[in-house]
Amino acid sequence: MTEFSLPPAAAEQNLHVARESLARLKRVPELAPRYANHEKILSLDDVAALPVLVKDDLNTALARLEPRAKHGATWLFQSGGSTGAPKVGYAPTGF
């Protein structure tokens, strides 16, 4: 079993974030097959069972989804490309 920093009861009120993220990932054609068999997130164990999202996956998802904050602003960050490939990142207000 995976260990989490929050007890299950404390985390359950925020599992909607994982459910929303899963729904978004399923809309990315390159990633959808990996997440197709994961229908419901009802517990932290369900979160732990999800396939790991690696950096290239995240970049693919960000390029397709262009995330926006529900409230406030979405900040866009870009690296200088010191790894040879500049990266773009998004962070909603309060993140």
Side-chain angles (χ1 to χ4, degrees):
M1 182 174 144
T2 304
E3 291 187 35
F4 295 94
S5 59
L6 286 176
E12 286 176 4
Q13 64 185 345
N14 293 309
L15 288 177
H16 65 93
V17 175
R19 287 191 283 272
E20 291 168 6
S21 295
L22 177 60
R24 287 186 187 105
L25 290 171
K26 287 181 172 189
R27 292 196 306 262
V28 177
E30 298 89 339
L31 303 176
R34 290 179 45 206
Y35 296 95
N37 294 328
H38 299 274
E39 293 301 320
K40 295 184 180 186
I41 297 177
L42 302 175
S43 69
L44 288 174
D45 289 333
D46 294 335
V47 173
L50 292 171
V52 174
L53 188 70
V54 298
K55 188 184 335 185
D56 287 342
D57 297 337
L58 179 59
N59 289 329
T60 298
L62 290 173
R64 291 276 191 176
L65 299 173
E66 297 181 2
R68 290 175 176 76
K70 290 182 180 179
H71 308 285
T74 299
W75 300 92
L76 172 66
F77 299 93
Q78 289 182 293
S79 75
S82 60
T83 62
K87 302 295 179 197
V88 175
Y90 299 86
T93 298
F95 185 69

